[in-house]
Amino acid sequence: MTILDTIVAQKAIEVAAAKAQVSTDDLMREAFFDRPTISLAARLAAPTATGIIAEHKRKSPSKGIINNQLSVEFVTQGYAQAGASGLSVLTDTEFFGGAKADLQQARVANPDTPILRKDFMIDPYQVYEAKAWGADVILLIAACLSPEQITTLSQQAHQLGLEVLLEIHDEEELAQSPLDNIDIIGVNNRNLKNFAENNVNASLALADKIPDRIVRISESCISQPETIHLLKTAGYKGFLIGETFMKDQNPGAKLAEFIAKI
């Protein structure tokens, strides 16, 4: 069983428990559910955008604790003020140390910045959660979803006014994924099945395979401004970065430094 298999099995248990506690109707009554969402795709496509999607991440299965000492407000406001085009907030608790409250607090602290709910989405219920908690975008990971699940979840997201970021790792995942309701494709340079690789070769290899109508972003293994230049040349508009900034005691200041070098 891969790490991803373990995470998805745990997620199924968590979703079942959440459904037993909070109904979809209850989620639809939460304060953020009716707020107009902000387009991350449009922000990334803007000519003056930095393209940086800065991530709040306390820990990961591969790195352990990265930084669990800083408040969500401090981190995400610092990112937004530094010039992030969007924010990514982990809500998985077991493996990444995130929580529902993290997304909600980031939303309150950053009302005008698009926010991605970063989690392992396997059930339409989680799409309702994302909307209710204040997200603008959901993440779908091709490696743990069937084509039918991608279709169902992406359609549900669009019905609720959310954008969809589909994460892929190789050409096979791209070819097997229905793209009708996908707004952004992210190439994860780190294989989620074994958390290997430390380069952006996957993004470079897949750059010309992604349809032009879909915004392209590169995820993971980005720590140098020179890498951004390389990826931009290959057609990427967005760059999801977390660990590079979260290792610092002032992630927002670290991001500002990074942007100044781009």
Side-chain angles (χ1 to χ4, degrees):
M1 180 178 281
T2 67
I3 297 173
L4 185 57
D5 291 334
T6 301
I7 292 173
V8 170
Q10 173 62 28
K11 192 60 57 179
I13 295 170
E14 293 173 6
V15 171
K19 286 180 178 180
Q21 293 181 340
V22 181
S23 70
T24 300
D25 287 343
D26 290 334
L27 290 172
M28 293 175 70
R29 285 191 285 268
E30 292 199 18
F32 290 134
F33 197 86
D34 291 327
R35 61 172 283 277
T37 50
I38 307 166
S39 172
L40 176 60
R43 288 285 177 92
L44 293 173
T48 58
T50 65
I52 304 294
I53 304 168
E55 187 160 271
H56 177 269
K57 178 165 64 173
R58 294 188 179 89
K59 68 176 186 177
S60 76
S62 59
K63 301 293 184 180
I65 298 295
I66 299 168
N67 190 335
N68 60 0
Q69 302 301 310
L70 306 175
S71 74
V72 175
E73 292 92 341
F74 175 74
V75 172
T76 59
Q77 281 186 327
Y79 284 156
Q81 290 165 5
S85 295
L87 302 170
S88 172
V89 178
L90 268 297
T91 56
D92 175 81
T93 303
E94 182 76 15
F95 299 94
F96 289 87
K100 161 188 175 180
D102 292 341
L103 180 52
Q104 293 174 319
Q105 290 166 18
R107 177 80 281 155
V108 171
N110 305 275
D112 301 317
T113 304
I115 300 178
L116 166 70
R117 180 191 179 185
K118 186 82 172 290
D119 210 319
F120 298 82
M121 311 292 279
I122 58 172
D123 190 290
Y125 178 85
Q126 293 169 285
V127 183
Y128 280 87
E129 283 184 331
K131 185 74 163 79
W133 299 352
D136 301 288
V137 192
I138 63 162
L139 173 70
L140 300 183
I141 301 173
C144 66
L145 296 170
S146 68
E148 293 75 21
Q149 285 176 303
I150 291 172
T151 295
T152 298
L153 293 169
S154 60
Q155 286 179 343
Q156 184 64 73
H158 276 190
Q159 287 172 9
L160 296 181
L162 297 167
E163 287 187 333
V164 181
L165 164 56
L166 175 69
E167 179 177 292
I168 61 171
H169 179 263
D170 56 33
E171 191 170 354
E172 182 181 1
E173 290 177 359
L174 176 61
Q176 293 178 352
S177 299
L179 303 180
D180 291 348
N181 294 288
I182 304 302
D183 305 285
I184 304 166
I185 286 181
V187 179
N188 193 336
N189 298 300
R190 182 171 289 122
N191 188 332
L192 286 182
K193 294 177 182 177
N194 55 24
F195 282 83
E197 288 110 32
N198 286 292
N199 54 60
V200 295
N201 289 347
S203 289
L204 297 176
L206 291 172
D208 62 355
K209 306 288 195 306
I210 298 170
D212 290 338
R213 69 172 182 83
I214 299 177
V215 174
R216 307 170 199 170
I217 72 169
S218 182
E219 308 173 16
S220 301
C221 306
I222 303 171
S223 60
Q224 301 298 324
E226 294 78 14
T227 307
I228 300 293
H229 293 299
L230 178 64
L231 291 166
K232 281 187 174 181
T233 301
Y236 285 87
K237 299 292 187 183
F239 318 94
L240 197 154
I241 309 174
E243 184 183 326
T244 296
F245 307 136
M246 286 299 297
K247 288 188 295 187
D248 198 87
Q249 286 308 299
N250 189 333
K254 191 73 173 177
L255 171 58
E257 268 179 42
F258 189 89
I259 289 173
K261 295 175 183 176
I262 295 176

